[in-house]
Amino acid sequence: MLVDREAELATLSAALAESARGTGAFAVVHGATALGKTELLHALRARATEHGFTVRTALGSPTEQPFPYALVDQLVPELALLSTELDGDEAQHTVPPNVLRRIYHATLALAADRPLLLCVDDLHYADHASQQCLLYLVRRLRTARATLVVTEAPHGTAHRTLLAELQYQPRTRHLFLSPLTPRGITRLLAHHLGEPAAARPTAHFHRLTGGNPLLLRALLDDAAATADTTPKPGAAYRSAVLACAHRSGAEALAVARATAVLGTTDTASAPHPGAPRATDTAPPKSPDSPDGPDTALLAATAALAPRVVPQALAALTASALHDEHHRPRHPAVAEALLADPDLSSAAHTALRARAARALHAQGAPAVAVAAQLLAGAPLSESWEAPALRAAAEEHLAAGDTTLAARYLRCAVFRADDSPQGLADRLATVAVAWRLDPPGVITQLRALAGHARTGLLPPRAILHLVQALLWHGREEDAITAAGTLPDEDADPRYATELAVTRLRLTHTYPGTLPWMPAVLRRPSPAPEPTDPPEPVEVAAARTLHTALTGGDPDAVATAAERVLRTPGIVDHRPDAVVVAIQALVYIDRLDAADTWSDRFLAPRPGFPTPTPVREALLHQTRSFVLLRRGEPAAACEHGTRALDLMPEAGWGTALAFPLAVLAEAHTALGEHDRAAELLDRPLPEATHRTIFTVPHQHTRGLHHLALDRPRDALACFVSCGETLRSWGLDTPALAPWRTGAAEAWLALGRPERAVRLLDDRQAAPVHRRPRARAGALRVLAATEPPERRAATLTRALELYRACGDRYGISRILADLDTAAEKRHAPAPAPSVVLTTAERRVAVLAAQGLSNREVAAELSIAVSTVEQHLTRVYRKYRIRHRRDLRTRLAAGT
């Protein structure tokens, strides 16, 4: 069905009428590929036949273009011109005069009895000899009853002489075909789908085809295959795209492929939701014309001269393969072009390589360059790994962790073993750690070997040392650090050196003595007149000051300044964690609670955090909530942290989230869960890190809760010895003296508890209200009932000042007990325990847990709990430690 071509057909019909009256007529139908030129000729031939014309047709073909007379032989096969031999270069330049005259006379003979219509389709594919013959005829058919109609596409130049001759003929008509209008599309759809269904999908079909009749009919075929009146581009559509592209000429095909490559990321593999597609990605822009394509970039990618690109783009836009912005009309267009069977794997790889090099040379964004590198083969160029790593960082910032991981894997394998290549590989590993901490261990060990040879830059060695220490690779870290200089030309070296020194002091103090002198030296504190420290140094110094007894107000000010840094959680989540921990250690729990909650809250429009960053933030939140006395909420966030990052990824720091979570479960009375957490294996190097201290302290609290005072005392004393040996004996980190004093009380040695808490050589607990409150609560248990309430009240005020709700609840319970003891009469001497109650009470007084008592007596744990409840009620006691005294007194 011919639509939107009525005016053109009428013009050609007028040419037929003119030639029927004895005057030669000529017409040239111009149009891009697949706009209906052949269909228009078919309609014209049918009309000419109806009016008694003799019709001869020839079709140009690129496969026949090398053969002389291939096209003319179709018009006058009687002459058998293909058998005519031409010698040497004559076939390419000159047709013998006798051949020209024979063609002319044969044409006149055809027009002798009836008017003649000569149709030449795709003149741009005509062989050179045939073009000379047609040129000879055009100059001599002005008075013949003949009409010559040719069609041509914009590409190709060999036929330009013939077109120029036709341009000068007075009766030559030029027709320019355009894509179908929406009205024409509606008519075509009505013919295929019926009138009621035609209007609705017109816009959909126009958007996907641009009015290209070949694409339109292909889309209708896809619709028929799926019974969908608004189909998605399918096999027929993609096949039509390739037909249009190939028939548009070699240059247009190359530019179409280049545009497809530059407008997509990885069409060779399964599309990824985060990958930009042809419809999402702006076409390459020209620096000279903001609205035009970058012809230099397209030329470099297509391996063409820049001067031919505009013409190729015009042809693609005219055929509706491209839209008015010179981008693929639909993603399926780009996908079809890059999945073309005629585009070999080697050619595809070369296309990607040219695109990557061209984009890099123009200073394009890293994501654009890396997209080509990811889809192609290695180029063995120094800029590959940095470009891939930069793209990974951008995708991480955008929340696309899957694509970032692919870029990182590619970057690691493309970095060479030169000093810069190794530095690039280490930087890549640092980014990869944010996605898969366990997965970088192998690369870290390999880089440690290179560090020993002196190939890594000093600043990169510092990063490597910190990463190796995190994963417990102490020997590798110490060896790598042995090549560090005191100074380096890189201005960022001093910053990273200060961070490393501070972290060694407060996080890896057990390893510090084995490090080279350059790392053992303390990092000098800034002078008041110095410029502000970089945020990573400020954060590390804040935590160091908090753990070494510095001024709490100064720590709080510095921590708040770090946390207010714009974008800090996206670019330096480690600094966020460190600053919030510093607030916790100085008992600024309200501020720590606000900041930890703020950084975990959803942020519409901001990047989705990586699992590692989320794990660190949830762990920090868990720690804050534990110190605030909310163990249930602390358990929730602590469990989430361990779920987000595998235990191997935590390295030696695993001890810390396990300790926080176990302490929260202990506070909730969930002792079996706490025991399971504390029994999990830890890296061997953990006991030389600061993380071993809270882990050991929590184990002591667990033993206390299970009435194992001797085991608890051993844990607390071990904590104290470790902290004193490292010069970090602060109750903010682990109030081991309070725990040890409570253990001495349970062992019936209150005087040891008093001596321990009154030790003037201990850290200044008066500057840490939470630690001081805990000490007062234990001291109150050693005092006479009439003085106990006053001491507990002071402890209650301190707990309220720092916001520890769990501590407040314990003090309130102790105050209730103290009041009962002051006012209740002494227990009656006639208290009698049953045999079962006494057996349970004796074993419990010896320090056995309820589960151990049940196992010893072969009874249920619930039975043990019932017996102890009745014993406590009879003796009017509330604590297990009082059993020994009452049983010994025989009351």
Side-chain angles (χ1 to χ4, degrees):
M1 178 184 178
L2 193 67
V3 296
D4 267 359
R5 300 292 182 252
E6 292 83 1
E8 291 83 355
L9 186 58
T11 300
L12 294 176
S13 297
L16 291 178
E18 191 173 289
S19 66
R21 292 192 295 267
T23 303
F26 307 99
V28 182
V29 181
H30 306 269
T33 302
L35 290 190
K37 299 187 296 295
T38 300
E39 190 173 9
L40 180 60
L41 280 188
H42 179 75
L44 179 64
R45 290 198 304 269
R47 182 164 294 187
T49 302
E50 291 176 2
H51 288 81
F53 275 67
T54 297
V55 178
R56 293 294 177 93
T57 302
L59 174 62
S61 169
T63 58
E64 295 182 350
Q65 200 168 16
F67 303 112
Y69 307 113
L71 191 142
V72 171
D73 196 64
Q74 298 176 57
L75 294 175
V76 282
E78 299 87 351
L79 299 179
L81 293 175
L82 279 175
S83 63
T84 302
E85 295 185 3
L86 297 177
D87 297 328
D89 293 335
E90 286 187 330
Q92 300 299 323
H93 299 288
T94 305
V95 175
N98 64 314
V99 173
L100 295 174
R101 286 193 293 271
R102 288 175 61 195
I103 293 173
Y104 172 63
H105 290 299
T107 304
L108 289 180
L110 289 173
D113 298 327
R114 292 191 297 171
L116 174 65
L117 172 62
L118 298 176
C119 295
V120 178
D121 200 5
D122 287 344
L123 178 65
H124 46 282
Y125 289 133
D127 60 276
H128 187 69
S130 293
Q131 290 185 49
Q132 290 188 50
C133 294
L134 290 174
L135 183 61
Y136 187 84
L137 286 177
V138 167
R139 291 169 178 168
R140 286 160 177 78
L141 291 180
R142 294 180 182 178
T143 59
R145 292 197 302 163
T147 302
L148 174 63
V149 180
V150 301
T151 70
E152 68 95 25
H155 61 277
T157 58
H159 63 297
R160 295 302 175 192
T161 302
L162 178 57
L163 288 181
E165 182 64 30
L166 289 170
Q167 184 76 33
Y168 282 102
Q169 295 302 317
R171 287 182 292 278
T172 299
R173 295 165 173 82
H174 290 271
L175 293 81
F176 296 88
L177 298 189
S178 301
L180 301 182
T181 63
R183 182 174 175 271
I185 293 175
T186 301
R187 290 177 57 199
L188 193 63
L189 293 180
H191 177 75
H192 287 271
L193 304 177
E195 291 286 351
R200 187 174 69 253
T202 295
H204 173 76
F205 276 80
H206 187 266
R207 184 171 61 254
L208 268 61
T209 68
N212 181 306
L214 182 63
L215 294 180
L216 187 60
R217 288 185 172 86
L219 201 58
L220 283 169
D221 290 342
D222 288 330
T226 60
D228 186 357
T229 57
T230 56
K232 296 179 180 178
Y237 182 90
R238 289 191 290 271
S239 179
V241 166
L242 293 180
C244 288
H246 280 275
R247 287 177 62 85
S248 295
E251 293 170 348
L253 177 61
V255 170
R257 288 171 173 169
T259 307
V261 159
L262 292 170
T264 58
T265 51
D266 189 11
T267 53
S269 61
H272 182 270
R277 307 303 301 271
T279 52
D280 306 324
T281 307
K285 296 293 185 182
S286 169
D288 301 323
S289 175
D291 297 325
D294 189 335
T295 55
L297 179 60
L298 285 172
T301 304
L304 295 172
R307 60 182 175 78
V308 305
V309 172
Q311 182 180 352
L313 285 171
L316 293 169
T317 301
S319 67
L321 283 181
H322 281 187
D323 60 19
E324 65 275 14
H325 302 295
H326 301 291
R327 75 172 83 191
R329 177 162 297 281
H330 186 273
V333 173
E335 291 167 6
L337 289 166
L338 297 180
D340 185 356
D342 289 343
L343 181 65
S344 67
S345 176
H348 190 185
T349 300
L351 184 63
R352 294 285 185 179
R354 292 195 300 270
R357 288 191 175 100
L359 287 166
H360 174 71
Q362 287 198 352
V367 290
V369 179
Q372 307 302 331
L373 295 173
L374 187 66
L379 303 180
S380 300
E381 305 207 10
S382 60
W383 50 266
E384 286 183 84
L388 288 161
R389 186 183 70 250
E393 290 175 339
E394 289 196 38
H395 282 287
L396 279 177
D400 192 342
T401 57
T402 302
L403 196 55
R406 293 175 63 194
Y407 282 132
L408 289 172
R409 284 194 296 270
C410 194
V412 167
F413 290 114
R414 296 195 187 192
D416 57 28
D417 288 343
S418 67
Q420 185 57 51
L422 292 173
D424 288 338
R425 188 184 301 176
L426 178 60
T428 301
V429 169
V431 179
W433 182 89
R434 294 154 66 181
L435 296 174
D436 179 23
V440 304
I441 296 176
T442 301
Q443 285 294 323
L444 289 175
R445 296 179 63 183
L447 288 166
H450 289 294
R452 288 192 291 269
T453 65
L455 290 177
L456 271 177
R459 179 167 169 264
I461 292 177
L462 290 173
H463 286 295
L464 179 62
V465 166
Q466 294 182 47
L468 289 168
L469 288 174
W470 174 276
H471 288 287
R473 312 292 304 181
E474 291 177 303
E475 293 184 9
D476 289 334
I478 294 169
T479 304
T483 61
L484 287 171
D486 290 336
E487 297 179 351
D488 188 69
D490 185 348
R492 297 170 295 177
Y493 177 70
T495 296
E496 203 59 45
L497 181 61
V499 172
T500 307
R501 286 170 172 171
L502 290 166
R503 286 183 176 172
L504 279 167
T505 302
H506 62 62
T507 305
Y508 306 102
T511 309
L512 180 61
W514 305 100
M515 285 291 176
V518 66
L519 292 180
R520 292 200 307 273
R521 299 190 193 102
S523 181
E527 298 294 333
T529 56
D530 291 343
E533 290 184 307
V535 66
E536 57 267 37
V537 180
R541 192 179 302 282
T542 297
L543 181 58
H544 180 269
T545 305
L547 293 178
T548 52
D551 177 33
D553 292 334
V555 170
T557 300
E560 295 272 353
R561 184 163 52 247
V562 170
L563 295 172
R564 287 194 178 94
T565 303
I568 183 68
V569 73
D570 296 316
H571 303 292
R572 294 304 303 250
D574 56 325
V576 169
V577 170
V578 166
I580 293 177
Q581 286 179 347
L583 291 173
V584 172
Y585 289 135
I586 61 170
D587 294 337
R588 303 296 172 91
L589 299 181
D590 287 341
D593 181 58
T594 299
W595 283 109
S596 64
D597 184 59
R598 178 182 302 176
F599 286 124
L600 265 179
R603 300 184 301 162
F606 282 81
T608 303
T610 64
V612 171
R613 191 185 99 185
E614 279 286 88
L616 294 174
L617 292 177
H618 276 286
Q619 169 52 36
T620 304
R621 182 74 178 140
S622 176
F623 181 44
V624 172
L625 291 169
L626 177 67
R627 288 294 180 98
R628 283 184 64 83
E630 301 180 43
C635 284
E636 179 182 344
H637 286 277
T639 302
R640 176 66 175 152
L642 292 177
D643 289 342
L644 284 166
M645 183 158 62
E647 291 190 359
W650 290 94
T652 55
L654 176 63
F656 187 57
L658 291 178
V660 172
L661 196 54
E663 184 175 346
H665 282 292
T666 298
L668 293 171
E670 299 167 353
H671 304 305
D672 290 344
R673 174 61 175 157
E676 186 271 326
L677 291 166
L678 292 170
D679 289 341
R680 291 188 186 180
L682 299 172
E684 187 276 334
T686 302
H687 69 277
R688 289 182 291 277
T689 72
I690 200 67
F691 307 118
T692 190
V693 174
H695 192 270
Q696 189 74 345
H697 184 266
T698 298
R699 190 179 294 279
L701 295 177
H702 176 65
H703 286 312
L704 272 183
L706 295 177
D707 289 324
R708 299 171 184 163
R710 292 192 181 279
D711 293 337
L713 183 62
C715 291
F716 294 131
V717 171
S718 174
C719 281
E721 292 173 350
T722 299
L723 288 173
R724 285 198 296 266
S725 69
W726 291 342
L728 294 173
D729 189 9
T730 169
L733 188 61
W736 66 271
R737 287 181 175 81
T738 301
E742 195 163 2
W744 280 120
L745 280 178
L747 291 170
R749 301 290 299 276
E751 73 285 356
R752 296 293 300 268
V754 172
R755 189 186 318 149
L756 189 65
L757 294 177
D758 281 348
D759 185 2
R760 294 298 100 186
Q761 300 305 314
V765 297
H766 62 280
R767 303 184 72 180
R768 303 289 186 265
R770 185 174 179 275
R772 181 59 178 163
L776 289 173
R777 188 185 67 80
V778 175
L779 283 173
T782 68
E783 295 177 334
E786 61 274 10
R787 292 172 49 192
R788 195 169 300 166
T791 302
L792 289 173
T793 300
R794 293 201 302 275
L796 179 63
E797 293 171 353
L798 292 170
Y799 273 133
R800 284 174 172 165
C802 64
D804 185 343
R805 300 174 186 176
Y806 181 69
I808 291 172
S809 66
R810 296 183 73 186
I811 292 293
L812 292 175
D814 289 347
L815 283 170
D816 289 342
T817 302
E820 291 177 3
K821 289 187 175 182
R822 284 202 310 272
H823 302 294
S830 58
V831 169
V832 177
L833 301 180
T834 65
T835 302
E837 290 171 350
R838 180 168 293 278
R839 283 168 28 188
V840 169
V842 169
L843 291 175
Q846 292 174 359
L848 274 66
S849 67
N850 290 355
R851 188 175 297 278
E852 291 169 336
V853 172
E856 181 73 21
L857 299 177
S858 299
I859 59 178
V861 176
S862 59
T863 303
V864 173
E865 294 171 347
Q866 293 170 8
H867 287 322
L868 285 177
T869 299
R870 288 194 290 270
V871 170
Y872 289 174
R873 188 180 300 116
K874 290 180 180 181
Y875 278 141
R876 297 184 181 181
I877 61 176
R878 298 187 63 177
H879 298 289
R880 205 181 191 97
R881 59 175 174 264
D882 296 327
L883 276 175
R884 185 182 292 106
T885 304
R886 293 301 176 88
L887 289 171
T891 59

